[in-house]
Amino acid sequence: MNKIKNYFSELSVLLKLNVREYGMFIALAVIMLIFSYYSGGLFVSPRNLSNLLNQTGYIAVLAVGMTLVIIIRHIDLSVGYVAGFVGAVAAIMMVQYGVPVGIVIVAVLLLGTLIGLWHGFLVAFMGLPAFVSTLAGMLIFRGALLQVTQGTGTIIIPNEFFNAISNGYIPDIVKVPGVHVLTLVLGLAGVGFFIYSEFKTRKNKLKYNFKVISMSMLLTKLVFVSSIILLITYILATYNGISWTVVIMLVTVGIYQFITNKTVIGRHIYAVGGNPEAAELSGISVKKITLLVFASMGFLSAVSGILFASRLRSATVTAGVLFELDAIAAAYVGGVSAKGGIGKVTGSIIGAIVMASLSSGMNLIGMDISIQYIVRGLVLIVAVVFDVRTRNKK
Amino acid sequence: MSNILEMRNITKDFPGVRALDDVSFLVKEGEIHCLVGENGAGKSTLMKILSGVYRKGEYQGDIVLSGEVMNFHGIRDSERMGIGIIHQELALIPELSVYENMYLGHEIKRGSFIDWNETITQSVEFLRKVNLAVEPEEKVKNLGVGKQQLVEIAKALSKDLKLLILDEPTAALNEEESDNLLKLLTELKSHGVTSIMISHKLKEVISIADTVTVLRDGKTICSLSKEKNEINTQVIIKNMVGREISDVFPKRPIKEAGSVALEVKNLNAFNRELGRDIIKDASFRVKKGEVVGIAGLMGAGRTELALSLFGNPLQYVVSGEILIEGKKVSLSSPKSAIEAGLAYVTEDRKGNGLILIQDIKQNITLANLREISKNSIIDANQEINVANEYKQSINIKTPSVEQKVQNLSGGNQQKVSLSKWLFTLPKILILDEPTRGIDVGAKFEIYTIINTLVDEGLSIILISSELPEVMGMSDRIYVMNQGRIAGEVEAKTATAEQIMELATD
C-alpha cells in the first residue's frame, strides 16, 4: 500500500517539475481525444493519422529551423514565401527546362541556403533587425513567386520521383496483406533504441552521482513512451506504412538534435541566445553564428518548399502562404523561450504536430475556417502564457 | 540656517551586503553640500533613497524634509516635494527637442491638450536661468554633454525645485564646462536653491562646498564645514580612506618577478558613441608571476583598458602596441585574445560574464570547447570531469555541476567565472572587480586562489575599486585617472592617500 502511495507521489512531483515538457504531450493527447470523440473515431483512423503526419512535414522542418532562429533571439518571417518560391523554381526547372530531378533538388536546396545567407548577412553585418530584413524578404519572395508563375499560373509537376517525396511510402520487405511489415520493424527498432539510450544515460548519470529518477519511474516512462510509439506505428502499418515525408522529418530532427546537443556549434548557438555579450567575450563570433542559423533556416525553407510542391504535385501561386506563422507557433508551442537561449528541436516537432492536429481535427468536424484561425491564435497565446508562467516559477 | 533635509538612521541592505548602516545626513537650507567617499561607500544608494527610487519599507530610517517625515513611493513623489536628481547618465531623449525634454512628464496643458506655445515661452525662461543659449527647438542630440546637463538642470528647475541632487556632474565635462557648471550652482544658491553634489574631484569640492559629508563603508564618517574652516584635501582623503589594511589578505611568499609577460605601449582608445577618448596613451607592463593592480575611481577607464586589450569587442578605435612574451600581437577579437593567452573575468558577471540559464559545466567549458571535443563533437563525459575538477579545486559549493548558474550565490558564480577562464589555460589573467558583491568568506577564497595562480607563474592584472584590496593583493599598482595612467606605485610602500591623490584631480 505504502509502495503505491510513494509511487504516485513521486510521479506527481516528477510531472510538476517537468510540467513544461510533459505539458505538450498532455495537450496533444487531449486534442486527439477531443477530436476523436467529436469525429466519431475518424480522427484516429489510419488514413487520417497518416495524412496528418504528411501535412505536418513541411511545417515541421520549418519549425526545426525556426527553433534555432528564435533561440538566438531573432525571427524569420520570410520562410513561407521562400518555400513557395523555391517550389516554383523546382517546378519550372523540371517542367520547362527538363532538368533531371536530382540536380533540381540540389540546386533549389542551394538556392534556399543562399537566400538564408542573404537574410543572415543583413541581420549580422548590416545591423538590420531580423523582423525588418525578413519582412522585406517576405515581400520580395512573394513578388518573386508571382513573377515566376505569372505566365503559367499553377505548374503541374509530372515527375513521379519528385511527387513521391510527399505522397509515397517506404517499400515493404515482405508482402503481408493489411500490414506494412517494415513499418512495424522500424517501430520496434525505435522502441529498442529508445530503451537502450535511456538506460545508457541513466548509467552515465549514476557514474557521476547525478540524481536519477527511480527505477519504477523510469519503467513507467519507458512503458508510456514505447506504447505510444508502437501504437502510432501500428496504426500507420495498417494503412500504407511510413511515408517518405515522415522519414525526411525524422532525419531532419535527428540531425538537428545531434548538432544542437552534441556539437561545439550547437553549444555556441545556445550561448549566443543565452547571453550574446558573454558569448562574444568567450571568443564566439556572434555574427558568424547568426549567419549560420539563417543559412540553415534558408536551407530548411527549401526542404519545406520541395515537400509542399511534391505534396500538391504542382507549384501554385499561393504556395507557402502563412507557413511562417505556423512554424513560429509550432516552435513556441514546442517550448522555445521567447527570451532566447532555451528550446529543443524535438519540442518544436511536437509543437508542429499539435498545431497540425488542431487544424486537421477542426477540418474533420467541419468547423468554419474563420473559427479555426481564432482557435489557433488562442492556443498559441495559451501555450506561451503557460510557458512564461511555468518558467517564472523556477 | 534651518535644516531643509534630514535623513535619520538610514539602513539599507542588499542581498549579502549592507550598503548603508545607520547613516545620518543633514543638509542646511541654501547651501551646497558635497557628498564624497570611495566607490561603493554608499553615496548613490543614499541619493536613490532620497529621490524615492527605493520606497519606504525597502530601507529603514526616516527622511525629513522641511520638518516633515516623507513617505516616498517613487521618483514622482520626491519630485512633487521639490527634489530633483541629475544622474551621471543623462536621462534625456536625444530625438526630442530641448523644450519637449524639459516638460516631459509634467506637460503644460490647456484642457486635455498640450499647450506648446506656453511650454516654449516657459522653457526659454528656465534656459536663461541656467545660462544656456540654445534654441528651445533644438534637438537634444545636437548638444554636447555639458549643454545637455544644463538642460537637465533647467528641467529640474521647471518643476519648482527646492533641492537639487547632482551625481558626479562634472565627470564627463571638460574644464570650461565644469567651471560654468560650478558657477551656476553658486548662482542657484543665491536664488535659494539647495544642492547636494556627489563628486570625486576634490578640487571642485573644496572650491564650492559649504559642507562636506564623507561616507565610508556605508557609514557617515564626518561632516566638515567651511565656516569652521574644516575643509581641505588632506582631511577629506584621510577620512575617505581611513582604515587599516588588516590581514584579510593571505600572504604569499615574496618571489623575484620573472620575465615580462605583457607589455602595452602607448595604447589609445576612442569611443565613437561617446565621441571621446577613453584611454589616453597608456603604457604598462606585467611580469610573470606578478599581480599588477589597477586602481582608479569610477569612470577612470579601467574596464575600458581591459576591453581594449581583450580583443576590443566593443569596437573602439584602438591604437598602440601590445606585446606578449616579447612578441607583438594583434588582438582583433576576443577569440584572438584568448588564443594569445589572455583571459578576462568581467566586472559584470551576470551581464556579460556568465550564461545564467545554463548549467555550471556548460559555463566552465564555453571558452575552450575545443579542449573537450573531438571533430567538433563534445565529449559529455570529459566535460563533466573537467567541471568536477574545477568544482573541487576552486571549491564551488554546489551539489552538482548540472546546477544552473542562476541558482548560485554571487561568490559561487564568481568561482564559476574564474574556472571558465582558467580552463582556457591563460598566461595573463585580467580580473575586473573580482570580489564585488560577494561575502567576506568567498573573498578570502578568491584571494587565496590568486596567490596560488601567481605562484604557478600566471600573471594577473587586478582591477579593483577597493583600495585595500588592490594594495593588499598587488605587487605593483598603476593608478588611472580620466583615461590616463596617472602613476605607478609599489604596493609595499604606497599609502592610500598617495593613491587617492593620483586618482583624484
Side-chain angles (χ1 to χ4, degrees):
Chain A
M1 202 52 201
N2 235 348
K3 260 189 183 168
I4 296 172
K5 211 171 160 191
N6 278 344
Y7 176 84
F8 280 105
S9 75
E10 191 183 353
L11 188 67
S12 79
V13 167
L14 213 58
L15 283 178
K16 263 184 208 150
L17 269 179
N18 296 299
V19 66
R20 187 68 197 78
E21 223 161 297
Y22 298 153
M24 233 155 35
F25 289 98
I26 295 166
L28 185 59
V30 170
I31 288 170
M32 288 191 154
L33 283 176
I34 289 176
F35 286 124
S36 301
Y37 176 76
Y38 282 105
S39 64
L42 218 57
F43 185 81
V44 281
S45 68
R47 186 188 155 82
N48 191 58
L49 272 192
S50 181
N51 258 330
L52 176 70
L53 288 178
N54 285 353
Q55 274 163 20
T56 312
Y58 50 84
I59 296 299
V61 290
L62 287 179
V64 167
M66 196 62 79
T67 307
L68 301 195
V69 175
I70 298 175
I71 283 175
I72 63 162
R73 306 180 174 191
H74 289 302
I75 195 81
D76 192 337
L77 299 175
S78 72
V79 295
Y81 288 114
V82 171
F85 172 67
V86 165
V89 169
I92 290 168
M93 284 174 81
M94 280 183 286
V95 175
Q96 292 179 5
Y97 297 96
V99 181
V101 63
I103 296 174
V104 168
I105 289 173
V106 173
V108 295
L109 288 176
L110 207 65
L111 175 65
T113 311
L114 283 176
I115 294 171
L117 275 174
W118 161 246
H119 288 136
F121 168 76
L122 290 178
V123 174
F125 292 91
M126 293 288 111
L128 252 65
F131 188 87
V132 174
S133 62
T134 61
L135 184 68
M138 191 175 173
L139 293 171
I140 290 169
F141 292 104
R142 161 115 241 213
L145 172 60
L146 289 175
Q147 184 73 34
V148 294
T149 52
Q150 212 162 33
T152 51
T154 299
I155 307 164
I156 306 289
I157 302 170
N159 187 304
E160 277 193 20
F161 178 84
F162 188 85
N163 290 338
I165 295 173
S166 264
N167 296 297
Y169 296 83
I170 56 170
D172 206 349
I173 33 175
V174 282
K175 292 261 183 269
V176 178
V179 186
H180 196 278
V181 179
L182 183 57
T183 299
L184 284 181
V185 171
L186 287 175
L188 284 171
V191 168
F193 179 74
F194 173 69
I195 293 173
Y196 166 76
S197 64
E198 282 291 315
F199 272 105
K200 198 181 155 197
T201 322
R202 184 189 166 86
K203 208 174 129 197
N204 237 331
K205 285 198 165 182
L206 283 175
K207 195 172 130 199
Y208 291 104
N209 291 322
F210 288 164
K211 251 202 200 151
V212 290
I213 52 176
S214 71
M215 205 43 154
S216 55
M217 278 303 116
L218 182 67
L219 288 178
T220 311
K221 187 179 168 187
L222 290 180
V223 168
F224 186 75
V225 177
S226 303
S227 41
I228 287 181
I229 297 177
L230 287 177
L231 183 68
I232 291 173
T233 43
Y234 177 72
I235 293 176
L236 292 180
T238 56
Y239 189 58
N240 287 334
I242 295 176
S243 65
W244 285 116
T245 304
V246 170
V247 172
I248 291 171
M249 207 158 86
L250 290 178
V251 168
T252 308
V253 176
I255 292 172
Y256 272 79
Q257 172 73 7
F258 180 78
I259 291 173
T260 50
N261 266 349
K262 306 271 183 202
T263 67
V264 172
I265 293 282
R267 195 59 73 72
H268 284 184
I269 290 171
Y270 281 107
V272 168
N275 186 341
E277 286 91 17
E280 186 78 45
L281 282 173
S282 303
I284 299 165
S285 167
V286 175
K287 286 180 177 173
K288 270 188 207 153
I289 293 293
T290 307
L291 203 59
L292 182 78
V293 167
F294 273 95
S296 113
M297 184 74 257
F299 173 81
L300 290 175
S301 303
V303 174
S304 169
I306 293 170
L307 286 174
F308 190 67
S310 159
R311 177 143 187 88
L312 295 189
R313 297 185 163 87
S314 60
T316 68
V317 183
T318 55
V321 175
L322 288 185
F323 282 14
E324 65 283 342
L325 293 184
D326 282 334
I328 293 167
Y332 279 136
V333 170
V336 176
S337 164
K339 284 186 192 147
I342 297 173
K344 285 184 187 159
V345 292
T346 43
S348 300
I349 287 292
I350 305 296
I353 295 176
V354 167
M355 292 309 273
S357 303
L358 212 56
S359 301
S360 155
M362 289 190 295
N363 272 330
L364 213 57
I365 61 173
M367 197 181 270
D368 193 78
I369 187 77
S370 56
I371 305 292
Q372 289 193 22
Y373 277 122
I374 295 172
V375 170
R376 283 160 70 192
L378 291 176
V379 166
L380 177 58
I381 290 177
V382 169
V384 178
V385 167
F386 181 70
D387 179 55
V388 172
R389 290 270 150 188
T390 51
R391 254 190 242 294
N392 283 351
K393 247 192 220 157
K394 288 177 189 172
Chain B
M1 270 189 288
S2 61
N3 290 331
I4 185 169
L5 169 77
E6 188 180 353
M7 295 180 82
R8 284 185 201 146
N9 310 99
I10 305 282
T11 297
K12 166 82 188 159
D13 287 315
F14 290 114
V17 196
R18 175 155 285 191
L20 292 174
D21 189 1
D22 199 28
V23 165
S24 293
F25 183 54
L26 266 174
V27 180
K28 294 196 197 95
E29 181 135 26
E31 71 168 350
I32 295 177
H33 194 124
C34 287
L35 191 57
V36 299
E38 281 186 276
N39 300 335
K43 300 168 304 224
S44 296
T45 310
L46 189 66
M47 291 303 105
K48 277 185 183 161
I49 287 174
L50 177 55
S51 59
V53 173
Y54 300 118
R55 353 169 126 215
K56 180 98 189 168
E58 289 180 309
Y59 61 89
Q60 286 116 49
D62 285 320
I63 302 173
V64 183
L65 198 64
S66 309
E68 264 178 79
V69 176
M70 294 291 120
N71 194 359
F72 295 146
H73 280 280
I75 297 182
R76 281 192 157 238
D77 287 348
S78 72
E79 276 182 354
R80 210 169 295 134
M81 298 308 298
I83 297 176
I85 183 160
I86 293 170
H87 292 282
Q88 220 171 335
E89 288 92 31
L90 299 177
L92 298 171
I93 298 171
E95 289 294 336
L96 292 183
S97 68
V98 168
Y99 69 87
E100 283 169 315
N101 264 298
M102 282 174 62
Y103 285 89
L104 192 65
H106 65 128
E107 289 80 3
I108 300 172
K109 287 183 198 157
R110 180 187 284 166
S112 321
F113 299 99
I114 298 177
D115 186 343
W116 287 120
N117 291 330
E118 183 61 25
T119 305
I120 294 174
T121 318
Q122 290 200 15
S123 69
V124 170
E125 194 185 319
F126 287 111
L127 288 173
R128 199 178 317 121
K129 276 194 184 165
V130 299
N131 308 323
L132 180 58
V134 295
E135 293 297 322
E137 290 86 359
E138 187 73 69
K139 277 191 183 175
V140 160
K141 68 169 181 185
N142 297 332
L143 304 179
V145 192
K147 287 183 175 170
Q148 291 193 10
Q149 201 143 43
L150 293 177
V151 173
E152 283 255 33
I153 296 176
K155 176 177 180 175
L157 288 176
S158 73
K159 292 181 202 166
D160 192 20
L161 182 81
K162 289 198 200 89
L163 182 59
L164 178 65
I165 305 168
L166 302 122
D167 191 355
E168 295 210 46
T170 58
L173 304 188
N174 62 30
E175 210 154 307
E176 195 192 333
E177 289 169 329
S178 302
D179 284 347
N180 284 337
L181 184 81
L182 298 179
K183 235 182 268 165
L184 175 65
L185 290 184
T186 325
E187 235 177 272
L188 290 174
K189 177 173 128 181
S190 66
H191 289 110
V193 176
T194 313
S195 310
I196 300 172
M197 181 168 96
I198 297 180
S199 181
H200 284 315
K201 299 187 178 174
L202 296 188
K203 258 191 218 159
E204 290 174 0
V205 170
I206 288 161
S207 75
I208 195 173
D210 296 306
T211 313
V212 176
T213 295
V214 182
L215 285 187
R216 189 208 310 150
D217 296 337
K219 295 193 180 92
T220 323
I221 298 305
C222 65
S223 207
L224 311 167
S225 131
K226 192 175 188 173
E227 275 176 7
K228 295 182 198 157
N229 224 347
E230 292 167 330
I231 302 177
N232 66 63
T233 319
Q234 281 74 33
V235 175
I236 296 177
I237 287 185
K238 203 181 116 217
N239 283 299
M240 274 168 79
V241 180
R243 93 193 107 171
E244 298 296 309
I245 296 168
S246 50
D247 44 45
V248 290
F249 304 101
K251 295 248 175 344
R252 63 170 176 268
I254 299 160
K255 267 203 322 191
E256 198 60 30
S259 54
V260 175
L262 170 75
E263 178 154 24
V264 175
K265 288 183 187 165
N266 308 98
L267 191 77
N268 281 286
F270 176 81
N271 184 332
R272 287 194 206 103
E273 273 164 49
L274 297 177
R276 62 186 166 93
D277 290 312
I278 42 174
I279 303 295
K280 296 170 199 157
D281 209 27
S283 299
F284 64 95
R285 50 170 64 189
V286 185
K287 289 182 195 138
K288 216 163 172 269
E290 187 183 39
V291 180
V292 167
I294 297 193
L297 296 166
M298 209 86 83
R302 294 165 303 164
T303 296
E304 289 80 355
L305 180 71
L307 284 171
S308 309
L309 279 180
F310 194 68
N312 189 22
L314 298 185
Q315 310 279 316
Y316 305 136
V317 185
V318 174
S319 66
E321 251 179 57
I322 301 169
L323 293 93
I324 290 177
E325 290 175 345
K327 263 179 265 157
K328 208 180 149 184
V329 287
S330 149
L331 308 176
S332 56
S333 67
K335 194 177 176 205
S336 59
I338 293 167
E339 277 160 9
L342 283 175
Y344 176 42
V345 178
T346 60
E347 171 184 25
D348 182 5
R349 314 185 263 284
K350 292 182 181 172
N352 57 14
L354 297 166
I355 298 175
L356 298 176
I357 54 173
Q358 293 190 353
D359 63 25
I360 294 173
K361 65 176 161 51
Q362 287 170 327
N363 271 285
I364 289 181
T365 56
L366 184 64
N368 193 11
L369 284 170
R370 198 190 294 168
E371 191 69 28
I372 54 153
S373 56
K374 207 184 256 177
N375 301 323
S376 240
I377 295 163
I378 295 169
D379 181 339
N381 290 336
Q382 210 188 336
E383 178 168 44
I384 294 169
N385 285 336
V386 165
N388 275 328
E389 272 167 38
Y390 281 103
K391 182 191 160 194
Q392 266 186 353
S393 64
I394 305 288
N395 192 22
I396 303 168
K397 290 179 195 92
T398 170
S400 142
V401 292
E402 295 208 318
Q403 182 73 246
K404 292 230 168 76
V405 169
Q406 63 191 5
N407 299 331
L408 300 178
S409 70
N412 279 312
Q413 285 183 352
Q414 188 66 319
K415 287 180 191 168
V416 173
S417 197
L418 203 57
S419 306
K420 164 183 169 177
W421 287 108
L422 290 178
F423 185 51
T424 64
L425 311 173
K427 295 176 189 140
I428 301 132
L429 176 66
I430 308 172
L431 300 171
D432 198 347
E433 304 285 1
T435 63
R436 172 173 292 174
I438 66 180
D439 62 72
V440 183
K443 272 187 185 180
F444 190 82
E445 284 184 79
I446 287 184
Y447 297 143
T448 314
I449 295 166
I450 291 177
N451 285 349
T452 319
L453 292 173
V454 287
D455 195 44
E456 288 164 5
L458 200 71
S459 308
I460 290 181
I461 300 176
L462 174 67
I463 299 174
S464 174
S465 296
E466 289 183 37
L467 261 189
E469 180 172 292
V470 198
M471 295 175 66
M473 289 305 299
S474 312
D475 295 307
R476 286 181 299 127
I477 301 167
Y478 291 98
V479 185
M480 286 194 77
N481 185 355
Q482 297 185 46
R484 283 179 205 288
I485 292 187
E488 179 192 340
V489 295
E490 287 291 326
K492 237 184 292 165
T493 54
T495 62
E497 285 78 6
Q498 198 184 349
I499 294 174
M500 250 322 155
E501 254 163 63
L502 284 168
T504 51
D505 299 309

